[in-house]
Amino acid sequence: MYEDRHAHREMWFHAIAAYNLAPGPSLAEQLLEDHAIYVGMRRRAELVATRQLFDCVVWVDGSRRLPGEDPASMQLTRRDADLILDNNGTREDLERSVTEAVHLIACAIIV
């Protein structure tokens, strides 16, 4: 799915929604069994159903350099995030923002 994500966004959007309707753990629950993060959630119902699994929801905003996502395959917005990272500058700017965010999140978890 990850490698094909750019080619068929709407198809994957609906396929993941259908997958999450099946009995048993959701895609988010399964991903978090082996990974510390879930990158690319796109459906509001999925976020609402699994929000309690996440310490922090991060939005990486590249809106000044990339076209907006098609609402047919993206229901979430920056308003759904706890933390917004600006990805409109240089790679170094983004790396600095990520480092700062990691420190903020780590401090919040430790407290």
Side-chain angles (χ1 to χ4, degrees):
M1 290 186 305
Y2 183 78
E3 291 176 11
D4 188 49
R5 70 192 182 280
H6 297 295
H8 303 100
R9 285 208 189 276
E10 189 172 356
M11 182 207 64
W12 285 118
F13 178 81
H14 293 294
I16 291 168
Y19 182 85
N20 283 329
L21 292 174
S26 68
L27 178 63
E29 291 169 309
Q30 291 176 38
L31 286 170
L32 294 173
E33 286 179 10
D34 296 320
H35 306 283
I37 63 173
Y38 176 175
V39 176
M41 185 180 287
R42 307 175 77 72
R43 193 173 186 85
R44 180 154 320 284
E46 185 179 12
L47 178 61
V48 169
T50 61
R51 181 62 182 93
Q52 78 284 356
L53 300 175
F54 300 98
D55 296 318
C56 184
V57 174
V58 179
W59 182 268
V60 181
D61 182 4
S63 62
R64 290 195 316 258
R65 39 175 208 84
L66 296 171
E69 291 278 353
D70 186 339
S73 65
M74 176 51 120
Q75 296 176 338
L76 304 178
T77 70
R78 63 186 284 137
R79 290 185 302 266
D80 295 301
D82 302 311
L83 177 66
I84 299 167
L85 296 179
D86 182 1
N87 188 15
N88 290 295
T90 66
R91 182 181 181 108
E92 291 78 20
D93 293 336
L94 178 61
E95 289 173 357
R96 189 172 23 263
S97 293
V98 169
T99 299
E100 291 170 5
V102 167
H103 288 285
L104 285 171
I105 293 167
C107 289
I109 292 171
I110 292 171
V111 171

